[in-house]
Amino acid sequence: MGSSQRQLVLPILLLLALAGTALCGVQEVHNVLELTGQAANKLKFSTDVATEKYTPPEEMDPQYWYNIADEEITKRLQLPQPNSQKAKNIIMFLGDGMPLSTVAAARILKGQRQGNTGEESSLSFERFPYTGLSRTYCSNAQVPDSACTATAYLCGVKTNIVNIGVSAAVEYNNCTASQDPANRLTSIAEWAQNAGKSTGIVTTTTLTHASPSGAYAKTANRMWECDTDVTSYGVDANSCIDMATQLVTQTPGKNFEVMFGGGMGKFLPNSIVDSHGNPGERSDGVNLLSRWQGLHDGGVLVTNRNQLLKLNVSAVSSVIGLFQSKLMNFHLEADDTYQPTLSELTEVTIKKLSQNKEHGYFAFIEGGLIDYGNHYTKAGYALDEALEFEKAIQLARDMTDIEDTLIVVTADHGHAVSIAGYPGRGTPILGINQHDTDINGVQYSVLNYAAGPNQYLDENGQRIPLDDILGSDDAITPSYIPKDQGVHSGEDVGIFASGPQSHLFTGVMQQSTIPHLMAYAACIGSGKQVCDN
């Protein structure tokens, strides 16, 4: 399939999903032509080459970002230090597409579900003692995606949009540049493994999705999840290894003791039906799950909630859990007897990784479908995913010792959603603002997206009343720019920290400094370490 065909197919698939057709499950919404800025002219059937996004030359050198991290850590160390403890364990929680407006709205929804007005409620991570802000722009993007941001908060280097694990010297879809050792990065997961720590990744998307892939992959296109994907973008899959193969066969992915998420199809050939009744997606005939099993004596595959909860973590060397063929289902739509919750995935992960009594562990845990709820402009889904995310964080804090386990919570990027218009205390966060109207006297939604599929206009372009439309979890929230989906936003996102050296996660910092701070706290990696003191 050519790039122009892909450009037409992806929006069609998205619109079908948003319309609630027979397509089941959460559908992919990320279009790399849109993310890289190449879609604008193509949508107008222009023959002109789209203007490439600009990358400052100095930012193409990974050392540039290492130097910034060193400077930002040095500034923080010049302040009074509340403690000198080392973090034996690190758990990084990532709320994908979770702006501060979503955090605030989720807090309100939590309180309202408990029968209160809501505004006075708190999410578990909001009670952490230290907070800061992360600057999310990427090397060639004012508003980023989940690939370049994952490279920042896991590899400590900002890169171009759509890139994972490679520097900004690599352009989109450039296989050759992505293979250059000078452009390939290491992640905090690899730093942790080099220090003897156990490692794991958890997501509610796919194991080969952009966020978790930042822990192990090196690629010039976040969509190269399996060999079929690589070929579909006009690249030789034998030259550029897909991310599923990287996860199973290369360092650090092959050393993960825990891998939980969706995306089973990316690991199986299209001649095989997976555990969820769908054919695999690979064209090369390779069964990566069999290959993984061959590389891991005592390794176990689980594919549903029952198998997960029956797992004896003491009896297995490692575990891979693939709970859907593609993305996992929204919590509100999931069969809770079949698909585990993020809290259940978190609990098993900590139990397994905690067996490394001597060196400890690093875990990356993502609430990945907050982003999809916001892309669908279904605020109820996004907020419910955020509440599932905060439950998992509370569980992790309860299961671990604050004296030796650093927990860092943040987001990769925001979404263009707002809470506005002077609604009174206790106004249903998913409903109508009863205390204000537009210039035509029509009341409007408490939550609104900048872009999305439904503006709720009549034949004259005037807004219609929404009293009988909004309020349910699956309602499409209004937007003012007509677009097939909601879009990311470029403002800073929150950082919330608890445990050893958590006091360093304050102020405004580059997103790429986050893994260097975690490495400092745990005495891993090549930069400054608290152990040096």
Side-chain angles (χ1 to χ4, degrees):
M1 183 183 292
S3 62
S4 60
Q5 291 174 298
R6 283 194 307 275
Q7 180 60 31
L8 292 174
V9 168
L10 285 171
I12 290 172
L13 285 174
L14 177 66
L15 288 173
L16 287 173
L18 292 175
T21 65
L23 284 175
C24 60
V26 182
Q27 302 300 314
E28 182 54 73
V29 296
H30 299 95
N31 181 340
V32 294
L33 295 181
E34 178 182 30
L35 293 172
T36 56
Q38 299 180 47
N41 288 332
K42 292 178 184 293
L43 288 174
K44 299 175 183 176
F45 302 99
S46 169
T47 57
D48 297 334
V49 176
T51 302
E52 294 294 334
K53 293 185 174 182
Y54 169 71
T55 303
E58 66 274 14
E59 296 188 15
M60 296 181 183
D61 182 358
Q63 190 61 44
Y64 175 85
W65 298 106
Y66 269 66
N67 291 343
I68 287 179
D70 185 74
E71 292 170 6
E72 293 194 334
I73 293 173
T74 298
K75 289 178 181 178
R76 284 163 173 78
L77 294 179
Q78 291 171 350
L79 300 172
Q81 301 298 298
N83 67 70
S84 58
Q85 293 168 293
K86 170 188 173 183
K88 179 180 179 181
N89 312 309
I90 306 170
I91 306 176
M92 182 178 188
F93 278 95
L94 192 283
D96 197 305
M98 187 180 72
L100 291 175
S101 55
T102 292
V103 172
R107 169 204 312 154
I108 294 170
L109 180 61
K110 177 182 180 179
Q112 291 180 346
R113 284 181 172 181
Q114 295 169 340
N116 303 315
T117 55
E119 296 82 5
E120 69 288 337
S121 187
S122 294
L123 302 180
S124 59
F125 55 88
E126 291 183 299
R127 294 189 291 271
F128 281 8
Y130 297 99
T131 59
L133 292 172
S134 166
R135 303 174 66 183
T136 64
Y137 71 90
C138 288
S139 288
N140 68 343
Q142 192 173 78
V143 176
D145 77 326
S146 295
C148 62
T149 52
T151 306
Y153 62 72
L154 287 169
C155 300
V157 173
K158 292 203 175 194
T159 188
N160 293 328
I161 199 164
V162 177
N163 279 359
I164 302 174
V166 295
S167 75
V170 179
E171 296 180 350
Y172 158 66
N173 224 46
N174 189 323
C175 176
T176 302
S178 72
Q179 299 300 303
D180 186 340
N183 298 332
R184 293 165 74 84
L185 308 172
T186 58
S187 76
I188 188 171
E190 187 166 348
W191 309 342
Q193 289 178 7
N194 290 340
K197 294 185 183 297
S198 297
T199 51
I201 56 172
V202 178
T203 180
T204 50
T205 60
T206 66
L207 286 179
T208 50
H209 216 258
S211 301
S213 296
Y216 67 86
K218 298 167 178 60
T219 179
N221 186 341
R222 61 178 286 174
M223 294 302 182
W224 293 348
E225 296 186 57
C226 73
D227 69 305
T228 306
D229 301 325
V230 177
T231 303
S232 74
Y233 282 90
V235 174
D236 182 1
N238 293 314
S239 298
C240 265
I241 305 303
D242 64 89
M243 293 189 287
T245 300
Q246 290 185 46
L247 177 57
V248 170
T249 66
Q250 297 183 2
T251 300
K254 67 180 183 180
N255 299 321
F256 289 151
E257 293 182 18
V258 174
M259 295 177 283
F260 289 153
M264 194 172 194
K266 302 297 183 184
F267 297 86
L268 296 175
N270 51 25
S271 58
I272 291 179
V273 174
D274 70 16
S275 301
H276 310 291
N278 299 300
E281 298 183 43
R282 303 192 64 84
S283 303
D284 57 9
V286 175
N287 184 329
L288 286 174
L289 297 182
S290 293
R291 180 172 292 183
W292 179 84
Q293 187 69 68
L295 295 171
H296 295 83
D297 289 337
V300 172
L301 167 68
V302 294
T303 60
N304 59 53
R305 181 176 183 267
N306 186 51
Q307 292 174 357
L308 176 78
L309 298 185
K310 285 185 176 180
L311 182 69
N312 180 359
V313 295
S314 300
V316 301
S317 63
S318 51
V319 56
I320 182 169
L322 291 161
F323 303 102
Q324 295 292 347
S325 301
K326 295 183 181 294
L327 298 151
M328 290 178 67
N329 290 327
F330 285 117
H331 170 250
L332 287 171
E333 294 182 345
D335 178 351
D336 58 10
T337 66
Y338 185 79
Q339 178 177 294
T341 65
L342 185 59
S343 291
E344 290 167 340
L345 297 175
T346 297
E347 181 173 5
V348 175
T349 297
I350 293 174
K351 285 180 177 178
K352 174 57 187 169
L353 298 182
S354 295
Q355 292 181 305
N356 190 336
K357 302 296 185 182
E358 181 178 359
H359 299 293
Y361 59 86
F362 169 80
F364 172 80
I365 302 175
E366 180 193 24
L369 298 182
I370 302 169
D371 180 61
Y372 280 78
N374 279 326
H375 272 298
Y376 282 25
T377 64
K378 290 187 175 182
Y381 278 31
L383 301 187
D384 183 75
E385 292 295 322
L387 293 180
E388 288 300 298
F389 181 62
E390 72 108 17
K391 290 176 187 176
I393 296 165
Q394 182 64 64
L395 177 67
R397 189 68 286 174
D398 290 343
M399 288 183 67
T400 56
D401 186 346
I402 198 170
E403 296 296 320
D404 69 8
T405 302
L406 171 65
I407 298 181
V408 178
V409 181
T410 189
D412 50 354
H413 57 76
H415 262 272
V417 59
S418 64
I419 312 171
Y422 318 111
R425 280 290 297 272
T427 299
I429 192 65
L430 298 176
I432 302 297
N433 177 4
Q434 301 290 343
H435 301 96
D436 196 20
T437 66
D438 65 13
I439 59 174
N440 295 315
V442 179
Q443 292 176 334
Y444 52 89
S445 177
V446 175
L447 297 176
N448 291 275
Y449 288 88
N454 208 328
Q455 288 68 57
Y456 295 106
L457 305 177
D458 64 19
E459 62 275 9
N460 298 315
Q462 299 297 312
R463 293 179 53 258
I464 63 173
L466 300 174
D467 303 72
D468 297 328
I469 297 174
L470 298 184
S472 64
D473 289 319
D474 63 350
I476 294 178
T477 305
S479 52
Y480 79 91
I481 299 172
K483 198 168 173 62
D484 57 5
Q485 58 171 287
V487 294
H488 297 175
S489 57
E491 78 278 8
D492 299 351
V493 297
I495 308 172
F496 309 83
S498 170
Q501 303 301 310
S502 56
H503 60 275
L504 298 176
F505 293 84
T506 56
V508 180
M509 70 185 71
Q510 293 288 4
Q511 191 170 50
S512 50
T513 297
I514 292 173
H516 297 288
L517 283 172
M518 292 190 292
Y520 173 87
C523 299
I524 60 177
S526 60
K528 285 185 172 68
Q529 300 180 4
V530 68
C531 297
D532 296 337
N533 302 329

